[in-house]
Amino acid sequence: MYKALFMSAILTTCSLVGEIPYIEEKSAIENLVNLKQEGIEEKKAKALKAFTEEITDILAIGKEARSFDNTVRALDRSIGEVGSIASLYLGMSLVHPDAAVRSSCEAAQKELEEAINNALFSHPELYEALIAVKNGREGFTSSELFYLTKSID
């Protein structure tokens, strides 16, 4: 009974974030029951490393080479990936049966969210890059223009 309730809580949490990050097959969601603190730390560290590298890569793109795909879409994808993992950890911090795992998930979620905020607030050049993309070309689709405008404003 408890396992069924736990699985229901996991599926509800994943449906709220719209996806199940880092899970290739939905049947693998059962592995979340066996989530261990070491695995949480390992995935968090891997996600933070990838996120930092992606932000560095975006910032290294020259003004002339900037495009919607290599700047705006890349930034959105990077933030989305880390945000999805943070959302999963938030859900696990609320429903996992092991208190130590819940605590580790909560700490990891906060650290991942903080990394996103720090990247955005400590790198004003990210906004400059978005502005450069917007000013660098015309012919955006309506959805690209909407996203870009909302990102800058």
Side-chain angles (χ1 to χ4, degrees):
M1 170 81 168
Y2 185 75
K3 185 175 180 180
L5 288 173
F6 177 72
M7 295 303 292
S8 175
I10 297 298
L11 290 171
T12 300
T13 301
C14 291
S15 70
L16 291 174
V17 298
E19 60 186 85
I20 304 173
Y22 278 95
I23 297 176
E24 298 295 323
E25 298 177 19
K26 294 201 188 288
S27 63
I29 200 165
E30 291 184 7
N31 291 333
L32 294 173
V33 174
N34 300 319
L35 193 62
K36 302 286 184 227
Q37 289 174 294
E38 304 80 34
I40 295 164
E41 185 60 36
E42 182 181 320
K43 283 186 180 180
K44 179 196 73 175
K46 183 179 176 182
L48 287 173
K49 182 177 186 280
F51 181 67
T52 302
E53 289 172 357
E54 290 166 358
I55 295 299
T56 300
D57 290 347
I58 292 167
L59 291 172
I61 298 168
K63 218 175 204 178
E64 301 300 318
R66 291 207 175 278
S67 70
F68 190 88
D69 286 336
N70 72 14
T71 303
V72 182
R73 203 175 306 272
L75 180 61
D76 182 57
R77 185 189 66 250
S78 296
I79 291 171
E81 287 176 5
V82 172
S84 291
I85 297 165
S87 294
L88 177 65
Y89 284 153
L90 173 62
M92 291 294 96
S93 75
L94 299 172
V95 300
H96 200 279
D98 184 324
V101 170
R102 287 194 308 272
S103 179
S104 293
C105 285
E106 181 180 13
Q109 181 264 332
K110 287 178 180 177
E111 191 173 340
L112 291 168
E113 292 289 343
E114 191 174 293
I116 293 170
N117 291 332
N118 286 342
L120 295 174
F121 293 119
S122 66
H123 293 292
E125 59 271 31
L126 283 172
Y127 291 103
E128 293 168 14
L130 297 176
I131 291 167
V133 169
K134 185 176 181 186
N135 294 338
R137 77 170 174 106
E138 296 179 14
F140 293 107
T141 66
S142 60
S143 59
E144 288 174 340
L145 187 58
F146 176 82
Y147 183 82
L148 190 52
T149 302
K150 291 295 182 184
S151 296
I152 295 170
D153 292 342

